Amino acid sequence: MQVKNIEREGNQSIGKVVQPFSCCDKGLTVYNKKEELIYTVEGGCCQVGFWCGCPCESCQTIDFDVRKATGEHVGFIQKV
């Protein structure tokens, strides 16, 4: 998926987000307009929320770690 800035100078690309193939884990890679990796978003498949849609809170929550290209942890995203 390409991300484009359409507010300035037409369709100037600001980067892209890619969902690479993975057998189990879920994640994304984020690239800048020079196609340099800037972030990875990773979620392990061992979380109950991936496999169970029960109404309890732990079954509805999935955590994703956000890391810089260097591997430094910079934040997290939580899907509820």
Side-chain angles (χ1 to χ4, degrees):
M1 177 173 95
Q2 293 229 359
V3 179
K4 295 189 179 204
N5 180 353
I6 56 173
E7 295 176 16
R8 301 168 82 200
E9 301 178 29
N11 291 328
Q12 182 181 10
S13 176
I14 60 171
K16 67 181 179 179
V17 178
V18 177
Q19 184 177 13
F21 173 78
S22 177
C23 290
C24 296
D25 294 338
K26 303 290 183 187
L28 302 169
T29 52
V30 181
Y31 298 88
N32 64 15
K33 66 182 177 181
K34 296 178 185 177
E35 302 223 5
E36 300 167 329
L37 177 66
I38 53 175
Y39 294 109
T40 59
V41 180
E42 305 163 340
C45 69
C46 294
Q47 300 179 71
V48 177
F50 274 121
W51 310 109
C52 180
C54 295
C56 61
E57 186 176 331
S58 64
C59 294
Q60 295 181 356
T61 304
I62 304 171
D63 295 318
F64 296 89
D65 289 322
V66 180
R67 300 181 184 278
K68 287 185 176 181
T70 60
E72 177 188 355
H73 186 268
V74 293
F76 73 96
I77 299 170
Q78 188 174 67
K79 178 182 180 237
V80 180

